[in-house]
Amino acid sequence: AGYGCVALQPLRRGEELFRVPRAACLGATSAGADADGTDGDCQRRLALALLEATADWAPFLAMLTPARCPWVWSESERRQLDGTELEPVVEAKLRALAEEHASLPQAVAEACGAERY
């Protein structure tokens, strides 16, 4: 899209490069979800917020490219989220997916009429 940022000198780990005011951010928390993403479907809330603010966000949305969801990232890729607002959201999503996966055998057994799978 032609947008980017290039360092003109070496960066130190943890060095602050810039600040973005929260009011300029669109995410789960600005769309009405709790920071940990546990108050419901934050993707739905974010989608609704985008629909309401499409004109304001159109230039930004036009430059986005498809990306894998962070809950399918490897452990080392997820380390890039350390200290961000997205880290607890992804951790909550991973816990929910693990619980759902663990409950599948029993749900299948019940759906098939078996007492135990």
Side-chain angles (χ1 to χ4, degrees):
Y3 299 98
C5 186
V6 177
L8 299 176
Q9 59 190 23
L11 302 174
R12 292 183 318 275
R13 185 177 189 91
E15 180 178 3
E16 182 177 289
L17 302 178
F18 52 87
R19 289 179 184 226
V20 177
R22 283 198 191 277
C25 298
L26 180 61
T29 53
S30 64
D34 290 338
D36 66 0
T38 59
D39 73 333
D41 186 347
C42 61
Q43 291 175 342
R44 180 183 55 81
R45 291 176 185 272
L46 184 55
L48 291 172
L50 281 172
L51 287 173
E52 293 171 358
T54 300
D56 296 335
W57 287 90
F60 172 73
L61 296 173
M63 71 178 206
L64 293 178
T65 58
R68 292 181 354 212
C69 295
W71 47 88
V72 299
W73 292 1
S74 69
E75 179 80 24
S76 62
E77 289 173 310
R78 284 196 311 274
R79 294 293 55 91
Q80 297 176 62
L81 301 176
D82 287 353
T84 68
E85 288 184 355
L86 191 54
E87 180 184 18
V89 174
V90 171
E91 288 173 357
K93 177 68 170 182
L94 288 171
R95 280 191 304 274
L97 289 170
E99 290 170 9
E100 184 177 325
H101 183 264
S103 71
L104 283 176
Q106 186 61 37
V108 169
E110 291 170 4
C112 293
E115 290 183 26
R116 192 174 164 138
Y117 181 72

